[in-house]
Amino acid sequence: MILVFGATGNVGGAVARELAAAGAKVRAVVRDPQRAGVPAGVEVVAGDLGDADTLRPALAGADAAFLLSGYGGIDGLVPEMPAAGIQRVVLLSSSAAPTGDLSNAVARYHILSERAVRDTDLGWTFLQPNSFMTNTFQWIPQLREGDVVRAPFAEVAVAIIDPADVAAVAGRALLSPGLEGRSLRVSGPEALRPADRARILGAALGRDLRFEAVPNDVARKEMSDSMPAEYVDAFFSFFMDGTVDETTVQPTVREVLGREPRSFAEWVAEHRDRFR
């Protein structure tokens, strides 16, 4: 039995589908079982990722787990997992974790989650992916208003990745030996600037999209309206100070799965209707 925390998320949901398709027994932990949307045959249980007491019953009978970093309930439960019978875990961490920078608010919670797992006898694999292609869904409100797409960090090229590829690597690590004790940086196949993404998306939609860079001062103000200041500082550190490298294309998907990661154009083709 493989336990999947956050099974309604972009990666967690794809992990549940990946494992179910492989014939594994899967137990999905979600906040609202009525809205889980998991494949047939997947057991669904309710749990709050911030509250270990609500998650503890889900451990019974499981021998492996897919974990998310940055959730106090999961971190608090990790020390109990070996005694509960869990032997192997895959932790979805971040490209920021290898920096080791505890002063960075975003890097910190990923680093601390990795430490919580390392401090156990669990067999572990850490996935440290680049930014997700699904972040492009943030552009949908702009597309409803017209053909102009605005985004910050316009000069930063990022090898964004399809969450389904991250999930496929997670599935391989959960179902097969050989990836224990490894921290895997995961990226897509090409580094794209926001303007590149707008061009590719426009071509798929048959629209002449125009990209406009959001100046740094404006971006900082807009981001501050939706997240704590320390998180805004963290993202400016990553992308303006270059403390995280998401430009370099990593070979991980090819090495683990024997195929190339999906391109942004392929991802857009699959999700085109979401943008219409």
Side-chain angles (χ1 to χ4, degrees):
M1 172 69 73
I2 302 176
L3 192 59
V4 178
F5 289 93
T8 56
N10 286 325
V11 178
V15 170
R17 292 189 292 274
E18 186 85 18
L19 296 173
K25 293 177 62 178
V26 181
R27 178 179 296 148
V29 181
V30 300
R31 183 182 293 274
D32 182 359
Q34 300 302 316
R35 302 175 62 183
V38 297
V42 172
E43 179 185 353
V44 178
V45 298
D48 181 343
L49 301 187
D51 185 347
D53 289 339
T54 70
L55 303 176
R56 191 169 288 110
L59 299 182
D63 53 21
F66 173 77
L67 313 178
L68 305 177
S69 61
Y71 289 91
I74 296 177
D75 288 353
L77 205 60
V78 161
E80 303 176 25
M81 289 183 178
I86 292 179
Q87 303 170 20
R88 180 186 305 176
V89 299
V90 171
L91 174 70
L92 179 61
S93 183
S94 162
S95 62
T99 68
D101 183 5
L102 292 173
S103 70
N104 182 293
V106 173
R108 180 170 61 244
Y109 66 77
H110 294 294
I111 294 166
L112 294 179
S113 291
E114 289 191 3
R115 285 184 182 177
V117 172
R118 287 181 188 272
D119 288 343
T120 70
D121 294 328
L122 293 164
W124 54 263
T125 304
F126 298 153
L127 303 186
Q128 298 166 336
N130 282 5
S131 302
F132 295 149
M133 293 179 182
T134 46
N135 291 347
T136 311
F137 288 140
Q138 297 170 355
W139 292 356
I140 290 176
Q142 297 184 68
L143 294 172
R144 290 173 179 158
E145 297 296 323
D147 291 332
V148 177
V149 172
R150 301 169 64 254
F153 313 127
E155 296 306 313
V156 181
V158 175
I160 52 176
I161 185 164
D162 183 348
D165 282 335
V166 180
V169 174
R172 184 64 57 88
L174 287 164
L175 294 171
S176 306
L179 296 176
E180 293 92 344
R182 294 183 59 184
S183 298
L184 302 176
R185 285 284 285 110
V186 193
S187 83
E190 56 186 340
L192 300 172
R193 292 178 173 83
D196 300 322
R197 287 193 284 145
R199 173 179 49 78
I200 294 168
L201 179 59
L205 298 176
R207 295 172 61 176
D208 185 18
L209 298 183
R210 180 165 56 87
F211 178 77
E212 289 185 359
V214 177
N216 288 341
D217 58 339
V218 176
R220 182 175 285 278
K221 182 180 183 305
E222 291 179 349
M223 293 169 68
S224 297
D225 289 340
S226 61
M227 67 180 72
E230 62 177 356
Y231 282 21
V232 176
D233 290 341
F235 287 113
F236 268 81
S237 172
F238 295 156
F239 297 119
M240 295 309 299
D241 299 336
T243 57
V244 166
D245 174 17
E246 291 202 351
T247 300
T248 300
V249 173
Q250 307 291 338
T252 310
V253 172
R254 181 177 67 254
E255 292 175 351
V256 173
L257 302 178
R259 63 167 176 80
E260 294 298 323
R262 287 209 302 173
S263 69
F264 182 64
E266 291 171 318
W267 178 86
V268 166
E270 179 179 350
H271 299 281
R272 185 186 295 114
D273 290 345
R274 290 277 301 271
F275 293 96
R276 294 194 184 282

